[in-house]
Amino acid sequence: MSRRKTERLLNLVICLLATRRPLSAEQIRQAVPGYDRDGDEAFQRMFERDKNELREIGIPIDVVRDPWEDEPGYRIERQSYELPEITLEADEAAVLGLAAQVWQRASLAEAASGALLKLRAGGIETHQDVGALELRVDTRDPAFPSLWEAVRDRRVVRFDYRSAGSENVRTRTVEPWGVVSRRGRWYLAGFDRDRQAPRAFRVSRITGEVATLGRPGLVEVPAGVDLRGMTAFPDEPMEERAATIRVRQGTCEGLRQLARSVTQGQDGWDEAELVFSDPERLAGWMASLGADVQVVSPPDAREAVIRRLKGALT
């Protein structure tokens, strides 16, 4: 969000909180900096977007219709806006701080840090310092954000899926029940409409974009469903192998630290040997490093990276 927009939304909230009587749209336009420079149509569109955004984050804007006035008025009731006093026990605050650390590198990092910031602003200490314990949730899989949103909104999804041990890709239509992490991998659990049965799908095997079907709220999660039980697959045997990776000089210090060996090159690239077991997990990491790495071998790891990059472009 731009600084100008942030200031405009903040000014709008202050204006609607401070007024003793409902303000018309024109009065708001004159009182709130950021609206006065736009034409009538531009102002109306911007004002509608701003009202929707504030409501989406939980700020209640009341619309008051006066029979003696042609236009409705707007205000924010202070008692509806203000939260009751929040108190947390020490163990509850510690859990919140730890949860925010878990999501630090994930797609929910911004929401997690924003929640902690709001709690601190209200005088609640969240105890993020948990000593040597450091947890992370890895959600580099491109499909994860769309799946998480679909689970949240209870919307049907459709995606292309590559089965284990096969290069065959088939389209699946799924009613998502939840996204579960198990042994370092993410799974989507839900009802597979194609097979007419509950199924779980490894998120890293989803290729391309995830499409949503129908309106929100269509998916009903069965009572008592065991999502973790649905992802309790037998362990897939994966032997450790070595990948040869070209690394641009002066970059990717973390990869260099984990590599078994790094050979300095003469063309601006070094060659690293990295031990791995799951080509999909390796591909997710390498794809996140962008143009600073090139996977040379083995072929399945290289092809997994190519699939990730093509999926990000589609």
Side-chain angles (χ1 to χ4, degrees):
M1 184 181 298
S2 68
R3 179 178 177 180
R4 179 181 175 185
K5 182 177 181 179
T6 302
E7 292 178 349
R8 186 179 70 247
L9 291 176
L10 181 59
N11 288 330
L12 177 58
V13 171
I14 293 173
C15 176
L16 295 181
L17 275 172
T19 183
R20 294 185 178 181
R21 58 183 179 83
L23 299 178
S24 68
E26 184 59 32
Q27 289 172 321
I28 293 172
R29 180 181 182 181
Q30 299 300 323
V32 176
Y35 288 139
D36 50 351
R37 291 178 291 181
D38 298 297
D40 293 344
E41 292 186 5
F43 161 70
Q44 289 295 337
R45 290 194 299 268
M46 184 182 298
F47 183 46
E48 290 299 320
R49 287 197 300 267
D50 289 350
K51 286 190 298 180
N52 291 335
E53 289 197 27
L54 291 178
R55 285 168 175 152
E56 286 175 1
I57 62 176
I59 298 178
I61 299 179
D62 294 331
V63 181
V64 181
R65 299 191 178 276
D66 189 331
W68 304 103
E69 299 289 342
D70 294 333
E71 296 183 5
Y74 303 90
R75 67 182 175 188
I76 297 175
E77 291 287 352
R78 187 171 295 274
Q79 58 267 32
S80 301
Y81 173 78
E82 294 177 343
L83 291 174
E85 181 180 357
I86 299 175
T87 57
L88 297 175
E89 299 295 334
D91 55 347
E92 295 172 329
V95 168
L96 284 177
L98 185 59
Q101 283 195 356
V102 168
W103 287 108
Q104 187 171 332
R105 285 174 52 195
S107 61
L108 302 183
E110 184 177 353
S113 60
L116 290 186
L117 182 62
K118 292 176 183 177
L119 287 174
R120 293 196 195 102
I124 304 298
E125 178 55 54
T126 53
H127 302 290
Q128 260 195 289
D129 184 8
V130 291
L133 181 61
E134 182 178 3
L135 302 176
R136 292 291 185 269
V137 172
D138 182 357
T139 60
R140 295 189 182 98
D141 298 309
F144 180 89
S146 298
L147 295 175
W148 181 84
E149 291 175 0
V151 171
R152 179 197 64 190
D153 299 337
R154 294 189 294 141
R155 298 187 68 177
V156 179
V157 293
R158 179 172 291 163
F159 50 80
D160 292 334
Y161 187 74
R162 182 177 53 82
S163 302
S166 172
E167 292 302 315
N168 294 330
V169 176
R170 296 182 179 178
T171 301
R172 300 294 187 195
T173 304
V174 179
E175 299 176 14
W177 294 343
V179 184
V180 181
S181 177
R182 185 177 181 87
R183 297 188 178 182
R185 303 185 181 98
W186 284 99
Y187 295 88
L188 172 70
F191 184 79
D192 186 340
R193 287 186 172 180
D194 301 294
R195 298 183 180 181
Q196 287 295 297
R199 287 290 188 273
F201 304 86
R202 193 194 291 186
V203 176
S204 63
R205 294 193 183 125
I206 295 176
T207 63
E209 292 186 351
V210 176
T212 54
L213 308 177
R215 59 178 177 81
L218 291 179
V219 176
E220 293 291 339
V221 181
V225 64
D226 182 7
L227 298 181
R228 294 194 62 81
M230 292 178 62
T231 61
F233 305 117
D235 291 340
E236 299 178 11
M238 289 190 178
E239 60 177 331
E240 287 193 342
R241 294 179 288 162
T244 301
I245 301 169
R246 281 166 51 86
V247 186
R248 194 185 303 275
Q249 291 178 349
T251 67
C252 305
E253 187 60 32
L255 185 153
R256 295 171 184 270
Q257 293 291 335
L258 294 175
R260 185 158 63 183
S261 65
V262 179
T263 304
Q264 186 173 358
Q266 303 296 326
D267 57 351
W269 293 81
D270 298 332
E271 189 171 281
E273 187 177 83
L274 190 67
V275 176
F276 77 102
S277 56
D278 186 347
E280 294 296 336
R281 288 182 61 81
L282 177 68
W285 182 17
M286 296 300 102
S288 71
L289 299 177
D292 291 328
V293 298
Q294 296 177 358
V295 178
V296 179
S297 65
D300 60 337
R302 179 179 173 84
E303 290 168 3
V305 174
I306 293 173
R307 283 196 301 271
R308 287 295 182 96
L309 296 176
K310 286 184 177 179
L313 289 175
T314 58

